[in-house]
Amino acid sequence: MAGIADAEPIPFPGFDRLILDYAELQAVMSEQRFASWRTALASVMGIYAITDMRDGRQYVGKADGAQNICQRWSEYAVTGHGGNVELKSLTPSTFRFSLLRVFDPSTPASVVDAAESHFKEALGTRKYGLNRN
């Protein structure tokens, strides 16, 4: 009988097809069968959305500078909130994670910051969602 460690690798679906609930995020960040996913996510910076599926409110965040998507999402997999004040009082089991835009690691921080601000404005996450800034 094969164990979880022997599970067949699952191919990475691509950045534009990635939508994970919290349990899936935890599996992606910890299970060997998702190693290629972690490699792909570690290769980019980007803008992501977290949607609370109970009420549809969203949080827009970024991973930039020395931090890639894999590192940032690993924090969410462990804590459920990644240190974000508005997310701390919520139940991460109702969260859905998705990528809005990815960037090469050489992209200037100002470009990533502008994209994050654009998505917060476009999605109304400061006024109606879970972003405080």
Side-chain angles (χ1 to χ4, degrees):
M1 194 158 74
I4 292 175
D6 299 327
E8 190 69 27
I10 297 175
F12 182 65
F15 299 115
D16 59 345
R17 293 184 171 196
L18 197 59
I19 300 173
L20 303 170
D21 66 27
Y22 185 61
E24 291 168 330
L25 177 71
Q26 290 178 309
V28 165
M29 293 302 154
S30 64
E31 295 178 15
Q32 183 57 34
R33 61 191 176 129
F34 293 106
S36 68
W37 295 42
R38 290 189 299 276
T39 299
L41 294 171
S43 74
V44 295
M45 301 184 305
I47 310 301
Y48 58 87
I50 300 172
T51 303
D52 186 340
M53 298 307 290
R54 288 177 302 185
D55 59 16
R57 290 185 302 160
Q58 294 180 311
Y59 175 85
V60 171
K62 67 177 176 176
D64 68 349
Q67 190 170 59
N68 57 52
I69 293 290
C70 188
Q71 289 171 319
R72 187 68 182 119
W73 281 13
S74 290
E75 294 172 20
Y76 287 108
V78 171
T79 67
H81 54 71
N84 297 307
V85 175
E86 288 294 317
L87 300 181
K88 285 182 178 182
S89 63
L90 302 175
T91 306
S93 64
T94 63
F95 292 170
R96 184 175 70 184
F97 296 78
S98 60
L99 291 171
L100 300 174
R101 186 168 175 195
V102 295
F103 296 94
D104 181 271
S106 65
T107 304
S110 61
V111 172
V112 180
D113 289 346
E116 179 190 31
S117 185
H118 164 77
F119 280 108
K120 287 178 181 179
E121 183 66 27
L123 298 173
T125 61
R126 290 184 183 111
K127 186 171 182 178
Y128 304 107
L130 299 165
N131 287 103
R132 284 193 172 178
N133 60 351

